[in-house]
């Protein structure tokens, strides 16, 4: 994952190359810290008007952006392919994801942000009308990684805008082009100036953190922890998503064909560069050999290479040389320790391609099991039963998501609740990301807070305000106001005890 908020000195210009070919596809000027500060100030000045038009008014702008995205699908997909090298289908999935997300939050934000009437905790407080309101943070700083140049930024941008915040977005320095296309679309529809993209790496990201009222970061653990410290020092709220090592559990009663197809997709989509990609597979011994044979046969049918608009490629390249080095190190480490690659196992030597790889005879001493790989590998481990599978699946510092493959629905539900992760897919993989009504977030070193999804995906970008108001005609003074009186307080105390205590203690006995 990108370390794009590390406070290092940036170059004057970012050079973007297609990882499938190495060819230059564009350059982007780096935003200096002073420019980031100025951008944040402009957003802060524009944000009150954006908040004042209400969720209903913001809905119209989000739907206009949705129209623009649909009308520019090819341009956006071309840009995604140019800077990421991914297959055409995966590029267009990002566009479809964005369209769906815009529609969901545009149509639901008003309901999610409506004042909430709160029931009093005790009958004594029924004399009060209790309300919770939601006021957006003025400027939300968003820092995103390189694996999905469009879908990563929009996952955070859309709910933040829907909440009424202004957004200062810093995409990864590896894939900075597509977010600029989206920002151009926001300007072309004539939307208020509450969305700005700043480009750069460490110094730019640090300036975003310094100038934001709320920070949403997705990327590596070390950078996320540094951002958490910086936010804590400024008493700024934040949310972090910092990767995963997601396990899949295949039980003996599973539909093995579906499990093979789903796990292959879940592990290798976007060349494995997905936060919720399957990175470990635990298979019950009774079906282990059959599963592995089917898995290898399926993986060997996948088409690896550089795609064009034809959509004839399944697996594309890794994003950069650094990621290729990580995947190579993990596979080489496993092979040196006794693992076997039943298919794949090495870089192709062209571009940043690495062969889709199935590893067996692996264990929890190997980096391919303990560290986030973020590449096209599928390590498989044989287990005696579901208890061993659950124990090993939970043996990780990460806890983003998992999948369980079983023919017994009840069994799948029970196992899901024993896994220490933020999301579990039963007989499916990665699908939780496309169900926007669900919260998306990780446990452990996978992050803190929830990134997007449902009502909390919008409310996270708001400050809650509690309001009390009289529900009945008021008196000139309350029983517990000055001057103090034990007699008056005694009446109040006895009423509180009668309403809240239990048994004879309710009556002071």
């Amino acid at each position: 994952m990108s370390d794009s908020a590390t406070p290092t000195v940036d170059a004057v210009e970012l050079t973007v190359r297609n990882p499938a070919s190495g060819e230059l596809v564009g350059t982007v000027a780096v935003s200096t810290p002073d420019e980031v500060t100025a951008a944040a100030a402009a957003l802060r000045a524009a944000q009150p008007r954006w908040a004042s038009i209400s969720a209903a008014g913001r809905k119209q702008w989000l739907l206009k952006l949705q129209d623009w995205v649909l009308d520019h699908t090819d341009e956006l997909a071309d840009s995604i392919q140019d800077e990421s090298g991914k297959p055409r289908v995966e590029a267009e999935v990002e566009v479809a994801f964005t369209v769906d997300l815009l529609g969901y939050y545009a149509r639901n934000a008003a309901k999610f942000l409506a004042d909430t009437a709160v029931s009093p905790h005790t009958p004594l407080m029924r004399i009060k009308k209790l309300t919770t309101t939601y006021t957006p943070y003025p400027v939300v700083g968003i820092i995103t990684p390189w694996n999905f140049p469009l879908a990563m930024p929009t996952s955070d941008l859309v709910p933040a805008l829907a909440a009424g915040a202004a957004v200062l977005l810093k995409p990864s320095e590896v894939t900075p082009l597509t977010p600029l296309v989206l920002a151009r679309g926001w300007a072309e529809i004539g939307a208020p100036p509450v969305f700005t993209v700043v480009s750069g790496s460490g110094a730019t990201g640090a300036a975003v953190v310094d100038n934001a009222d709320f920070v949403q970061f997705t990327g590596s653990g070390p950078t996320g922890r540094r951002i958490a410290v910086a936010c804590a020092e400024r008493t700024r709220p934040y949310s972090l998503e910092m990767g995963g090592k997601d396990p899949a559990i295949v039980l003996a009663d599973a539909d093995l064909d579906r499990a093979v197809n789903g796990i292959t997709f879940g592990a290798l989509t976007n060349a494995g560069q997905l936060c919720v990609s399957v990175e470990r597979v635990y298979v019950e011994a009774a079906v282990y050999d059959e599963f592995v044979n089917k898995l290898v046969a399926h993986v060997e049918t996948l088409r690896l290479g550089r795609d064009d608009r034809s959509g004839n490629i399944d697996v594309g390249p890794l994003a950069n040389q650094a990621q290729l080095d990580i995947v190579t190190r993990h596979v080489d480490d496993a092979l040196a320790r006794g693992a076997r690659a039943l298919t794949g196992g090495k870089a192709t030597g062209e571009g940043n391609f690495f062969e889709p790889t199935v590893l067996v005879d692996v264990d929890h001493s190997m980096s391919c099991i303990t560290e986030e790989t973020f590449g096209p590998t599928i390590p498989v481990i044989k287990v005696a039963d579901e208890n061993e599978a659950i124990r090993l699946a939970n043996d990780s510092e990460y806890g983003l998501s998992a999948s369980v493959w079983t023919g017994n629905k009840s069994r799948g539900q029970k196992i899901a609740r024993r896994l220490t992760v933020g999301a579990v897919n039963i007989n499916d993989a990665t699908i939780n990301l496309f169900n926007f009504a669900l919260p998306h977030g990780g446990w452990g070193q996978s992050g803190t807070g929830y990134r997007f999804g449902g009502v909390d995906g919008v409310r996270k970008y708001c400050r809650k305000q509690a309001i009390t108001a009289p529900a009945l005609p008021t008196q000139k003074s309350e029983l517990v106001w000055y001057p103090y009186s034990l007699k008056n307080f005694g009446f109040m105390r006895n009423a509180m005890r009668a309403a809240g205590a239990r048994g004879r203690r309710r009556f002071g006995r």
Side-chain angles (χ1 to χ4, degrees):
M1 288 288 213
S2 169
D3 276 339
S4 56
T6 305
T8 57
V9 177
D10 289 347
V12 175
E13 187 177 70
L14 299 176
T15 299
V16 184
R17 296 186 179 276
N18 187 313
S21 63
E23 67 182 287
L24 178 67
V25 295
T27 58
V28 178
V30 166
S31 302
T32 67
D34 286 345
E35 289 170 336
V36 173
T37 299
L43 289 169
R44 199 176 301 281
Q47 186 271 337
R49 179 173 173 79
W50 177 244
S52 71
I53 68 174
S54 78
R58 295 191 293 273
K59 170 184 176 180
Q60 299 309 313
W61 288 113
L62 293 176
L63 292 178
K64 287 181 181 180
L65 182 61
Q66 183 189 60
D67 292 341
W68 189 94
V69 170
L70 283 166
D71 293 342
H72 293 77
T73 293
D74 286 343
E75 181 184 359
L76 287 163
D78 288 346
S79 178
I80 292 167
Q81 278 192 288
D82 282 345
E83 60 183 345
S84 71
K86 65 179 61 182
R88 186 67 180 191
V89 170
E90 292 178 353
E92 295 206 9
V93 164
E94 291 199 48
V95 181
F97 175 94
T98 297
V99 168
D100 199 16
L101 190 72
L102 281 162
Y104 173 74
Y105 278 118
R107 294 183 174 91
N108 286 284
K111 176 179 64 177
F112 293 161
L113 296 171
D115 290 356
T116 302
V118 180
S119 298
H121 76 286
T122 171
L124 293 175
M125 287 299 165
R126 294 197 181 280
I127 61 172
K128 296 296 181 183
K129 178 182 178 182
L130 308 181
T131 307
T132 302
T133 69
Y134 306 92
T135 302
Y137 290 102
V139 177
V140 169
I142 295 172
I143 300 173
T144 56
W146 39 256
N147 50 337
F148 292 89
L150 180 63
M152 278 288 161
T154 55
S155 295
D156 308 312
L157 166 71
V158 173
L161 289 175
V167 173
L168 184 63
L169 169 66
K170 198 213 78 68
S172 168
E173 62 275 19
V174 178
T175 54
L177 301 177
T178 306
L180 291 172
V181 177
L182 186 68
R184 194 195 84 220
W186 185 253
E188 287 183 358
I189 64 174
V194 289
F195 166 35
T196 299
V197 176
V198 291
S199 301
S201 52
T204 306
V208 169
V209 173
D210 288 342
N211 284 278
D213 302 299
F214 183 103
V215 176
Q216 168 59 54
F217 170 78
T218 305
S220 74
T223 299
R225 288 186 284 274
R226 285 192 290 271
I227 287 175
V229 170
C231 288
E233 289 175 341
R234 295 167 176 80
T235 61
R236 297 286 191 271
Y238 60 89
S239 178
L240 309 174
E241 184 193 305
M242 302 184 297
K245 193 69 184 177
D246 293 4
I249 294 175
V250 181
L251 302 175
D253 61 1
D255 178 338
L256 291 188
D257 290 327
R258 179 171 178 83
V260 163
N261 291 332
I263 287 171
T264 300
F265 173 77
L268 303 182
T269 186
N270 202 39
Q273 299 168 120
L274 173 64
C275 57
V276 296
S277 64
V278 175
E279 294 210 3
R280 301 175 284 149
V281 184
Y282 302 97
V283 185
E284 279 196 296
V287 295
Y288 174 84
D289 290 337
E290 183 181 359
F291 173 85
V292 169
N293 289 337
K294 287 177 178 286
L295 177 67
V296 171
H298 184 42
V299 170
E300 288 180 340
T301 68
L302 301 181
R303 300 161 295 181
L304 174 69
R306 182 182 182 183
D307 204 359
D308 51 25
R309 284 190 174 188
S310 63
N312 292 323
I313 294 296
D314 301 308
V315 181
L318 295 165
N320 51 41
Q321 183 63 47
Q323 198 57 39
L324 182 63
D325 290 343
I326 291 172
V327 177
T328 300
R329 175 172 64 82
H330 284 190
V331 173
D332 288 350
D333 170 69
L335 297 177
R337 292 169 177 263
R340 292 178 293 138
L342 299 186
T343 186
K346 62 183 184 301
T348 66
E350 298 179 2
N352 290 333
F353 291 98
F354 196 96
E355 297 172 341
T357 300
V358 176
L359 294 170
V360 296
D361 300 334
V362 296
D363 59 45
H364 278 233
S365 70
M366 300 175 184
S367 57
C368 70
I369 294 294
T370 60
E371 300 176 18
E372 184 179 37
T373 303
F374 228 56
T377 64
I378 311 178
V380 187
I381 295 178
K382 183 192 298 186
V383 295
D385 52 32
E386 70 177 59
N387 288 324
E388 184 181 14
I390 293 167
R391 178 178 63 80
L392 292 174
N394 288 338
D395 182 22
S396 174
E397 65 177 0
Y398 295 106
L400 195 54
S401 77
S403 61
V404 179
W405 304 82
T406 175
N408 186 316
K409 293 180 181 179
S410 175
R411 187 184 188 192
Q413 290 283 344
K414 290 177 181 178
I415 291 174
R417 286 158 173 76
R418 295 175 63 189
L419 297 174
T420 53
V421 295
V424 180
N425 296 302
I426 299 173
N427 294 331
D428 212 326
T430 76
I431 196 64
N432 58 296
L433 285 181
F434 296 87
N435 283 277
F436 304 139
L438 288 172
H440 171 62
W443 299 1
Q445 292 302 311
S446 285
T448 181
Y450 284 83
R451 186 172 175 194
F452 67 90
V455 61
D456 291 334
V458 169
R459 288 183 182 174
K460 69 178 278 188
Y461 294 116
C462 297
R463 296 161 291 187
K464 294 181 180 180
Q465 186 178 54
I467 298 176
T468 72
L472 299 173
T474 58
Q475 308 172 71
K476 292 187 180 298
S477 183
E478 298 290 334
L479 287 175
V480 293
W481 290 1
Y482 299 130
Y484 283 146
S485 164
L486 284 175
K487 178 181 178 182
N488 289 345
F489 172 69
F491 175 81
M492 178 69 71
R493 178 196 59 209
N494 293 340
M496 293 172 66
R497 179 177 291 175
R502 61 177 185 168
R504 59 184 176 82
R505 293 176 179 82
R506 294 176 61 193
F507 307 104
R509 296 176 184 151

